[in-house]
Amino acid sequence: MSTLGCLLCFFIFLGLNSSGYSQSVTSRPSVVSIGAIFTFNSTIGRVAKIAIEEAVKDVNSNSSILPGTKLNITMQDSNCSGFLGMAEALQFMETDIVAIIGPQCSTVAHIICHVANELQTPLLSFGATDPTLSSIQFPYFVRTTQSDSYQMAAVAEIVDHYGWTAVIAIFVDDDYGRNGIAALSDKLAERRCKISYKAAIPPGSGVNQNVIMDLLVKVALMESRIIVLHASGDIGFRVFSAANYLQMMDNGYVWIATDWLAYILDSNSPLPSDTMDKMQGVLALRQHIPDSERKRAFLSRWRNLAGGHLGMNSYGLYAYDSVWLLAHALDTFFNQGGIISFSNDSRFLSSEASNLHLDAMSVFDDGPQLLNYILQSNTVGLTGPLKFSPDKSLINPAYDIINVIGSGIRQVGYWSNYTGLSTVLPETLYTKPPNRSSASQQLYSVIWPGDTLTKPRGWVFPNNGQRLKIGVPNRASYREFVSRVKGTDMFQGFCIDVFTAAVNLLPYAVPYQFIPFGDGTKNPSYTELVNSITTGVLDAAVGDIAIVTNRTKIVDFTQPYAASGLVVVAPFKKSNTGAWAFLRPFTRSMWTVTAFSFIVIGIVVWILEHRINDEFRGPPKRQIITVLSFSLSTMFFAHRENTVSTLGRLVLIIWLFVVLIINSSYTASLTSILTVQQLSSPIKGIDSLRTGNDPIGYQEGSFAERYLTEELNISKSRLVSLGTPEEYALALKNGPGKGGVAAVVDERPYIELFLSSQCTFKIVGQEFTKSGWGFAFPRDSPLAIDLSTAILQLAENGDLQRIHDKWLVKSSCSLDNAEIESDRLQLKSFWGLFLICGIACFIALLIYFLQIMNLVRSAPTESIATEPGGVLSRTFQSCLSIMDGKEDLSKSKNKRLNSERTFENDRDEELGSKKRRHTDLATGSNSS
């Protein structure tokens, strides 16, 4: 019975297995229906139609994928119409379509994505490149080509690589064009570049040529000469035709076309010569397809498939791979037990929608599962790896950068999201660590429009008949820097001459006119002048404009052409020497430390010499007098007491060196005080002004007011506005007691000009800000960069100094014009010497006390034990006793005498032995 039971179980097991196998086979349908929506009568559509049909044939003939199942594809022509695309998508949903290849156009994709979301049908688009389609709003949209966000990143890197800062965007005003240019704007902003003008073309091939012509006329009036053309093929060629007619394809222009131009050139090459002639020098991007054996084999077949009159482009290859990608996903779907089933949504059965027959549409039940298998695909197609990143984009995005030359194109480099611009194939760079350094960003030379290898500057002055409105401060004082010629609109001065000389060095003409800013009766506010640039009232500002932080945040400045900074000017008086002039060389702290050092040195030498030197012994009163007389007499190197110990001599030598330096410095400073005219001022610099309460003057309209109040926290009530040099002199002369000011804070160039004629005032303290004067322009103005280069040329060839000497060199006062500084010697100048001396004293005392402790340890224990108190107290008393006691030198003297006698005896014996040898030698010679 057990054997019979085993056989029964075995047959039951085989039956279950056979029934399970037949179920998995029968779960695979014999036919799977898929759809395709694209524009048949377009460059992409004509290539894609053949590629998709061929891909379906290859899948159906390959037994390794979808065994027992055939793909059945139905194609619909949307003609890039959103309405037709939606209608055709709804028709697909009535025929149990599991997925759709397409759509080709971004406009159609935006519409039918909503249908795909509701019916859970994946869309595999090989042509819709609108970046916004990748959002989470459209989960069933799968882009099997590259997004325009990568293409625009490549354009932005090209613009930044050549140093341009602004571009003009010409685009078709639909979802494809608008969203692509929006992505370009974001990518340019990441590199501090921008789109300065957007020119939108109405969508559709029937747009009037006059509309394009009028649009390009507006573009020609703009400043930028970098034009990015993001359009379809028919509109793009019409733009090039109009631009060629308007001479916008000549020297100075840069045209960058997105990949629309590349796929047309690949599919229809060669184009007519008159068409190629109208776009010479254009840069274009093309989706990069790595070379492979499969790709070359397919391109060999393509010549027969297309009849030799239609070339393959990148979108055709992506269309072919889309079919294979879907086939692999379906194969995985079936292997995992997936079943194709559809159900009706109750929302489509409502009475309100009955007239639309929405009940005919069905929802793909396992659509989410198939979508998941598509996104998890990891295969290799004709275009390279077919694998998606977390944001549903194909990995390794890359573009070829091509240059239209003659009757064809020339490769000038590549762009990849991995390393940026390069002349090396992206697939080669993927095997190396990423490198985005500026040195690695390279392209081959480009032949630009106008048949030139010279990189275009990228901008010109707008050709609209308007001149730059340059604001110039209409000053009431210090007119040597900038002033208006009376009765005219002309200006003159140091700043004007520098600007004129710099403009003359530019390789192009700059039309401009000076606009006076201010009424001329008082100095205008320079902050308001700079703000007028940001509001568009002025195009630039020229004058003595300080480059300060709050201004650099809103405008761009040129290279500084004059150094500047805030200084303090105050009245001074001649200092009388007086009876106590000998105390002036040292400050109070210096005198205190020096006196203290003398006393310390005397005490240290006394400690080191007390045990062994009779001159440092005696009654306490005598020892105190000895310490004081010894330390003070070292100032004149006239100390009477001799030092015996080695440590004492070492300390004394170092101290005498310190005294030598102090004496020399004191003598030199006192000589200067007594023989050279001294100037003094109660104001020592900006710090003394901050701590006081006296009024402070500043130049009207200067940034000094804001700096003193906001940065130095000086009360605004203490500040006095002064307009002219005469007001400076009067306020300083009167002083705070008579309604004047204690000092004036202003920029150094003004103060130097002021002091050239005012000899009773001087600069006190140091310059407490560092800045310069520059010309102000709007943010990212290319003219600011070119003028900076011109200013550097003026400085290098000496013209800047000659302009300065022409306007600002005046006869100076006969008195010394040097800034008033403290003539007293500070402790900080000598602390190193005192530190060395202190270290020497410490080391000598340490060695001395170690010697004393050694003597204490070697002393008889009975004598220490007899001392009253504890062990520490007895040890301390023993130390003091040894230090105060007189050292017995008799033993050391006897040892020294004995050693001397021994040395003399040894020397006598040696001499005697030598004499004996000489005698023996003499005797031997005589006997012979």
Side-chain angles (χ1 to χ4, degrees):
M1 291 295 294
S2 60
T3 305
L4 182 61
C6 291
L7 289 174
L8 180 61
C9 291
F10 178 75
F11 284 118
I12 292 173
F13 176 76
L14 289 178
L16 290 175
N17 277 344
S18 61
S19 62
Y21 176 77
S22 62
Q23 183 179 359
S24 65
V25 172
T26 56
S27 66
R28 286 178 175 264
S30 58
V31 177
V32 175
S33 297
I34 62 175
I37 298 178
F38 54 93
T39 304
F40 293 173
N41 190 26
S42 66
T43 302
I44 293 178
R46 287 191 292 270
V47 174
K49 188 174 186 299
I50 302 174
I52 292 174
E53 291 173 346
E54 193 64 19
V56 171
K57 291 180 183 178
D58 292 344
V59 169
N60 290 335
S61 62
N62 193 325
S63 60
S64 64
I65 187 170
L66 291 177
T69 301
K70 299 297 183 182
L71 290 181
N72 180 33
I73 188 164
T74 303
M75 299 184 183
Q76 297 284 1
D77 185 4
S78 67
N79 199 26
C80 275
S81 169
F83 176 77
L84 292 178
M86 180 181 63
E88 291 162 355
L90 294 175
Q91 291 178 13
F92 279 147
M93 304 313 172
E94 297 177 358
T95 57
D96 295 341
I97 294 293
V98 298
I100 297 176
I101 306 296
Q104 171 189 333
C105 299
S106 299
T107 303
V108 178
H110 272 280
I111 294 175
I112 69 173
C113 274
H114 296 283
V115 178
N117 289 348
E118 296 295 333
L119 303 180
Q120 300 182 170
T121 304
L123 302 176
L124 284 74
S125 177
F126 60 87
T129 57
D130 179 358
T132 62
L133 290 170
S134 299
S135 66
I136 58 178
Q137 181 184 5
F138 307 119
Y140 284 88
F141 178 83
V142 180
R143 195 194 317 272
T144 57
T145 185
Q146 299 297 343
S147 169
D148 274 343
S149 62
Y150 296 116
Q151 180 173 206
M152 297 310 173
V155 173
E157 289 212 35
I158 292 173
V159 171
D160 184 56
H161 175 71
Y162 288 109
W164 302 315
T165 58
V167 304
I168 294 175
I170 301 178
F171 60 97
V172 177
D173 193 12
D174 57 11
D175 292 328
Y176 160 76
R178 285 191 303 270
N179 296 328
I181 294 303
L184 175 62
S185 181
D186 294 340
K187 298 301 181 180
L188 288 172
E190 293 175 2
R191 293 160 178 81
R192 291 201 64 184
C193 303
K194 65 179 181 180
I195 297 177
S196 60
Y197 183 73
K198 296 180 181 180
I201 302 175
S205 58
V207 61
N208 194 309
Q209 187 69 9
N210 292 333
V211 174
I212 297 178
M213 192 73 71
D214 294 341
L215 183 143
L216 290 181
V217 169
K218 294 179 182 179
V219 169
L221 297 177
M222 298 295 114
E223 180 181 273
S224 176
R225 286 293 182 263
I226 313 300
I227 303 173
V228 177
L229 182 56
H230 186 51
S232 58
D234 54 347
I235 292 180
F237 285 120
R238 294 170 67 183
V239 170
F240 281 136
S241 178
N244 188 70
Y245 176 79
L246 295 174
Q247 297 182 349
M248 295 176 64
M249 303 298 297
D250 292 343
N251 192 5
Y253 281 90
V254 174
W255 287 83
I256 302 176
T258 53
D259 63 351
W260 66 267
L261 179 58
Y263 71 70
I264 291 178
L265 291 174
D266 291 340
S267 302
N268 302 290
S269 183
L271 292 175
S273 59
D274 59 338
T275 301
M276 296 297 295
D277 291 342
K278 294 176 182 177
M279 51 184 185
Q280 292 295 300
V282 172
L283 278 181
L285 279 80
R286 176 176 57 194
Q287 297 188 62
H288 176 72
I289 307 297
D291 192 22
S292 64
E293 290 292 338
R294 290 185 60 191
K295 175 186 171 183
R296 289 195 293 269
F298 183 77
L299 292 179
S300 298
R301 291 168 52 196
W302 180 260
R303 298 185 183 92
N304 297 325
L305 294 174
H309 64 276
L310 186 63
M312 172 57 71
N313 56 51
S314 59
Y315 288 99
L317 295 174
Y318 280 116
Y320 181 90
D321 281 351
S322 299
V323 176
W324 274 93
L325 179 65
L326 178 58
H328 282 288
L330 285 170
D331 193 42
T332 306
F333 174 78
F334 293 135
N335 289 336
Q336 297 299 322
I339 300 175
I340 295 178
S341 62
F342 296 86
S343 60
N344 292 326
D345 195 319
S346 59
R347 293 174 298 171
F348 302 150
L349 302 177
S350 61
S351 58
E352 291 81 358
S354 58
N355 294 331
L356 297 177
H357 301 289
L358 297 181
D359 54 339
M361 292 187 297
S362 55
V363 178
F364 183 18
D365 295 329
D366 286 342
Q369 186 178 359
L370 177 60
L371 174 65
N372 187 46
Y373 291 139
I374 293 174
L375 295 177
Q376 291 179 357
S377 298
N378 188 8
T379 62
V380 178
L382 299 182
T383 58
L386 297 177
K387 184 179 179 181
F388 294 94
S389 61
D391 63 350
K392 299 197 302 181
S393 298
L394 286 177
I395 63 171
N396 301 338
Y399 285 85
D400 300 336
I401 303 173
I402 59 177
N403 188 198
V404 179
I405 299 297
S407 59
I409 58 175
R410 171 175 166 266
Q411 187 99 17
V412 297
Y414 307 92
W415 176 91
S416 69
N417 197 41
Y418 188 68
T419 55
L421 301 176
S422 175
T423 55
V424 182
L425 286 169
E427 50 268 27
T428 302
L429 297 176
Y430 290 140
T431 62
K432 302 177 182 179
N435 183 8
R436 280 190 171 270
S437 64
S438 58
S440 67
Q441 303 298 298
Q442 297 178 352
L443 292 175
Y444 293 121
S445 59
V446 176
I447 299 179
W448 305 100
D451 196 22
T452 177
L453 289 172
T454 304
K455 184 198 77 172
R457 190 172 68 247
W459 70 278
V460 295
F461 284 100
N463 188 22
N464 52 16
Q466 297 181 0
R467 295 181 293 175
L468 289 178
K469 294 177 293 184
I470 299 180
V472 181
N474 193 9
R475 296 187 57 88
S477 62
Y478 296 111
R479 298 173 62 85
E480 292 85 353
F481 294 103
V482 57
S483 63
R484 185 177 183 179
V485 179
K486 292 183 179 180
T488 67
D489 291 333
M490 299 175 60
F491 284 82
Q492 62 181 5
F494 168 69
C495 303
I496 301 301
D497 281 5
V498 172
F499 176 75
T500 304
V503 169
N504 290 337
L505 290 177
L506 297 179
Y508 50 86
V510 180
Y512 64 87
Q513 60 177 342
F514 289 138
I515 306 296
F517 189 84
D519 55 11
T521 59
K522 62 179 181 179
N523 295 335
S525 171
Y526 281 50
T527 300
E528 294 180 4
L529 173 60
V530 172
N531 288 335
S532 297
I533 299 176
T534 62
T535 58
V537 176
L538 298 174
D539 298 319
V542 169
D544 46 343
I545 306 171
I547 305 173
V548 293
T549 303
N550 64 322
R551 295 174 184 172
T552 57
K553 294 178 180 179
I554 58 176
V555 297
D556 282 349
F557 283 92
T558 62
Q559 170 78 18
Y561 62 88
S564 180
L566 292 179
V567 294
V568 178
V569 62
F572 70 93
K573 61 180 180 180
K574 299 177 182 179
S575 300
N576 297 323
T577 54
W580 302 98
F582 67 92
L583 295 176
R584 287 185 58 193
F586 287 167
T587 61
R588 182 177 300 177
S589 60
M590 183 66 183
W591 279 116
T592 302
V593 172
T594 303
F596 179 75
S597 299
F598 274 103
I599 297 174
V600 170
I601 291 298
I603 295 173
V604 171
V605 173
W606 178 83
I607 292 174
L608 298 175
E609 297 289 327
H610 180 68
R611 294 185 66 246
I612 60 177
N613 194 338
D614 291 336
E615 295 181 354
F616 288 88
R617 298 186 64 82
K621 181 178 179 180
R622 178 187 172 187
Q623 294 183 45
I624 293 174
I625 294 174
T626 299
V627 168
L628 294 177
S629 62
F630 176 82
S631 61
L632 294 177
S633 60
T634 56
M635 180 185 298
F636 311 104
F637 305 97
H639 48 284
R640 181 177 59 85
E641 294 80 7
N642 294 321
T643 54
V644 177
S645 66
T646 304
L647 295 176
R649 290 175 178 176
L650 175 64
V651 171
L652 184 60
I653 289 173
I654 296 176
W655 171 245
L656 290 178
F657 174 73
V658 174
V659 170
L660 175 64
I661 300 300
I662 293 176
N663 279 343
S664 301
S665 303
Y666 176 86
T667 303
S669 180
L670 182 61
T671 302
S672 174
I673 291 173
L674 297 178
T675 59
V676 180
Q677 179 65 59
Q678 299 297 311
L679 307 177
S680 66
S681 171
I683 305 299
K684 301 303 180 184
I686 189 62
D687 292 332
S688 61
L689 278 180
R690 293 177 62 185
T691 56
N693 294 316
D694 294 332
I696 304 171
Y698 69 92
Q699 184 181 171
E700 183 179 22
S702 171
F703 77 97
E705 178 187 12
R706 184 199 62 82
Y707 186 86
L708 293 174
T709 55
E710 297 181 8
E711 302 295 334
L712 301 183
N713 297 320
I714 296 177
S715 175
K716 198 170 183 178
S717 60
R718 294 179 56 194
L719 303 182
V720 179
S721 176
L722 303 173
T724 63
E726 291 75 17
E727 293 182 13
Y728 281 23
L730 181 60
L732 289 171
K733 182 178 180 181
N734 291 336
K738 297 181 180 180
V741 297
V744 171
V745 175
D746 204 353
E747 296 178 70
R748 179 177 285 275
Y750 301 122
I751 295 302
E752 289 178 347
L753 193 60
F754 169 72
L755 295 180
S756 66
S757 58
Q758 298 290 337
C759 298
T760 57
F761 312 108
K762 297 294 174 186
I763 295 175
V764 294
Q766 298 290 334
E767 186 175 282
F768 57 93
T769 65
K770 294 292 184 182
S771 62
W773 287 352
F775 306 133
F777 290 88
R779 296 300 298 269
D780 302 322
S781 171
L783 186 57
I785 300 174
D786 289 353
L787 275 179
S788 295
T789 304
I791 290 172
L792 291 175
Q793 288 183 256
L794 291 176
E796 292 171 358
N797 60 27
D799 288 344
L800 191 60
Q801 185 62 43
R802 283 189 285 271
I803 297 173
H804 177 275
D805 296 343
K806 171 186 174 182
W807 289 98
L808 304 180
V809 173
K810 306 291 182 181
S811 58
S812 59
C813 297
S814 58
L815 294 179
D816 183 19
N817 283 325
E819 299 174 1
I820 297 176
E821 298 288 349
S822 175
D823 54 5
R824 311 186 74 184
L825 298 176
Q826 305 287 333
L827 177 61
K828 62 184 180 181
S829 302
F830 299 92
W831 73 268
L833 290 173
F834 288 116
L835 178 63
I836 294 173
C837 188
I839 293 174
C841 292
F842 174 79
I843 294 175
L845 290 175
L846 179 63
I847 296 173
Y848 176 77
F849 283 119
L850 291 176
Q851 293 174 350
I852 295 298
M853 292 303 299
N854 187 44
L855 292 176
V856 170
R857 284 194 298 270
S858 62
T861 57
E862 295 80 3
S863 61
I864 298 177
T866 58
E867 298 290 339
V871 176
L872 293 178
S873 176
R874 291 195 298 269
T875 303
F876 180 71
Q877 291 177 9
S878 298
C879 290
L880 292 180
S881 177
I882 293 174
M883 292 173 61
D884 187 57
K886 182 73 169 65
E887 181 179 358
D888 187 8
L889 301 177
S890 60
K891 295 181 178 180
S892 61
K893 290 181 179 180
N894 290 335
K895 290 180 180 180
R896 188 167 60 252
L897 291 174
N898 290 334
S899 63
E900 290 176 357
R901 292 193 187 109
T902 302
F903 176 75
E904 290 177 357
N905 292 335
D906 292 341
R907 187 178 59 182
D908 291 342
E909 291 178 0
E910 184 179 358
L911 291 175
S913 63
K914 288 182 180 181
K915 289 180 180 180
R916 286 192 296 272
R917 284 197 298 270
H918 285 299
T919 302
D920 294 339
L921 290 173
T923 304
S925 61
N926 292 333
S927 63
S928 62

